[in-house]
Amino acid sequence: MTKETILIIGAVWVEPNSSAAGSRMMQLIELFLKENYRIVFVSTAQKNENAVDLSQIGVDEIQIELNNSSFDDFIKNLQPTIVVFDRFMIEEQFGWRVAENCPKALRILDTEDLHFLRKVRHQQFKKGEEFSNDALLKADDTKREIAAILRCDLSLIISTYEMDLLTSVFKIDGKILYHLPFLYHRIDKDHAEKWKDFSERRHFLFIGNFFHKPNVDAVITLKKEIWPIIRTALPEAEIHIYGAYVNQQIQDLQNKKEGFIIKGFAKNAQKVFEDAKVVLAPLRFGAGIKGKLTEAMLCGTPSITTKIGAEGMHNNLPWNGFVENDFKEFALRAVELYSNEKLWLSLQKNGIEIINEIYNKEKLSQPFIKQINTIQNHLEVHRTQNFLGSLLQHQTMQATKYMSKWIEAKNK
């Protein structure tokens, strides 16, 4: 029996092979389908060849327009019981329309990661400043994203670090937040035995979407600061750089003589991870959970990253490789891990434990669905207790609504 309808409003169409955000959205869709919800996925974006065809798994896909009251008629007819906003900008654009035309629908914000955290870190990094919570508190992007979180009935937060930041620094009530990391199947013994062993694997790997500035910076860091040290110690080794939307800046870093090879979009990312010996991710700024690092664990591939890379990802469990901010040490650790089978195997096991403890789909799914049902059954009380949220829904605070109406009138 099919349950109620869930409307997901996407910033972009779903591209699970292009980014962690795409695979996260796919996980949510699969979870809701398993619970027998009818899912309608809409977006204002143009579809490209990397997007999956959701209709193949029973999801309705519809193109919508921005700043257009046609959405009001659409949602009135659809009458979803749950609306998921994919990123805070989507809540800004459509949240008020959902609240007006479908007031009883549960509004969920999937933050993907905290955009303001990533953006402020990047700005401070460019200025050569130390990251501080003060800078977060002053930033306009912070105010926008926090306002979107407050306006929603529930916001999905991907990392433990971000949960702590929202509750301790921004004093947000835990009742409107839900920690939901990536959702993966447990790695059992049979699965792990199918992995390629140490001697069958070759080369280092970096993978990431190049629309994402932390990834661009990481590859430049690899080329300039890390790879020359590794290559001196391991003259036959190569690093393969994969990712969607490779730009000219990244393409120009290719040097086959030095073993620095730009491969571009990976049609089968899993195979790329399974063939590699070590994943390198020297991320100097960013936020959320890094899909490349959980994917490495799922394929039995140890990784070396920075504190930012591993942040909020492994609780107190030991990392499946090394966490190192000093890039000379980073390179030396990479050489050690690449050359030492015993070390490599022991760190591989850490990845299994992290996935099974923290990202276990079977363990995480039902408590999340239960939380949704609980809020739905007591929605009025839940909203009354979220006074700041109702304050931000008040007409005097809805600048985005009136800007949208003005744009629509102007376009006519």
Side-chain angles (χ1 to χ4, degrees), residues 145-384:
E145 192 161 5
I146 295 290
I149 287 169
L150 288 167
R151 282 191 298 262
C152 287
D153 300 310
L154 194 65
S155 288
L156 309 183
I157 311 302
I158 207 154
S159 86
T160 52
Y161 176 86
E162 293 181 0
M163 275 297 278
D164 184 57
L165 184 75
L166 291 171
T167 52
S168 61
V169 176
F170 295 96
K171 312 296 181 199
I172 292 179
D173 187 344
K175 289 195 193 88
I176 63 166
L177 303 174
Y178 195 89
H179 175 231
L180 191 72
F182 292 150
L183 306 169
Y184 295 124
H185 288 297
R186 246 184 129 266
I187 302 172
D188 58 24
K189 200 171 170 222
D190 290 348
H191 184 88
E193 278 172 358
K194 289 175 187 159
W195 288 335
K196 286 189 173 181
D197 62 31
F198 180 83
S199 61
E200 291 176 287
R201 294 178 182 239
R202 294 279 178 277
H203 309 312
F204 293 92
L205 170 68
F206 177 90
I207 191 163
N209 181 330
F210 291 106
F211 275 160
H212 199 53
K213 290 187 177 84
N215 289 332
V216 174
D217 178 75
V219 172
I220 294 167
T221 302
L222 276 168
K223 172 79 175 188
K224 289 182 179 172
E225 302 195 41
I226 295 168
W227 189 245
I229 302 170
I230 294 175
R231 184 71 174 183
T232 302
L234 301 167
E236 299 303 310
E238 293 176 2
I239 183 160
H240 295 174
I241 311 289
Y242 283 90
Y245 309 109
V246 170
N247 56 30
Q248 198 56 47
Q249 184 185 21
I250 295 295
Q251 197 59 57
D252 290 345
L253 296 174
Q254 169 150 300
N255 188 322
K256 288 188 176 175
K257 279 187 190 168
E258 292 171 6
F260 200 94
I261 298 162
I262 311 297
K263 293 279 195 172
F265 182 70
K267 281 189 177 156
N268 185 345
Q270 188 181 332
K271 186 176 188 319
V272 167
F273 278 107
E274 286 171 348
D275 290 345
K277 194 171 267 189
V278 177
V279 169
L280 302 179
L283 296 157
R284 298 200 282 182
F285 54 92
I289 290 178
K290 319 307 177 295
K292 60 179 76 58
L293 297 175
T294 51
E295 285 285 333
M297 295 175 202
L298 289 167
C299 296
T301 315
S303 66
I304 305 177
T305 190
T306 55
K307 283 181 184 170
I308 288 271
E311 178 185 87
M313 284 191 62
H314 61 116
N315 297 352
N316 296 317
L317 297 173
W319 191 249
N320 75 317
F322 297 105
V323 178
E324 187 56 73
N325 272 15
D326 178 287
F327 290 134
K328 189 181 176 194
E329 283 298 315
F330 190 110
L332 295 173
R333 293 290 200 183
V335 172
E336 184 187 6
L337 187 51
Y338 195 86
S339 314
N340 184 333
E341 183 173 2
K342 195 176 172 189
L343 175 68
W344 189 89
L345 286 167
S346 71
L347 294 175
Q348 183 187 62
K349 283 178 188 153
N350 292 351
I352 297 173
E353 195 181 352
I354 291 169
I355 293 294
N356 291 351
E357 278 298 308
I358 300 169
Y359 301 95
N360 185 338
K361 193 182 197 171
E362 286 71 30
K363 207 161 72 174
L364 295 168
S365 299
Q366 283 317 304
F368 171 53
I369 296 298
K370 192 179 170 188
Q371 179 71 353
I372 287 177
N373 292 336
T374 302
I375 296 174
Q376 275 185 304
N377 292 335
H378 306 94
L379 191 55
E380 212 172 305
V381 175
H382 182 79
R383 285 179 178 167
T384 304

Side-chain angles (χ1 to χ4, degrees), residues 98-118:
V98 172
E100 279 187 9
N101 295 291
C102 234
K104 290 183 179 172
L106 179 74
R107 298 188 296 272
I108 298 176
L109 172 60
D110 184 33
T111 56
E112 302 288 358
D113 59 29
L114 292 178
H115 288 57
F116 70 80
L117 177 61
R118 176 157 34 94

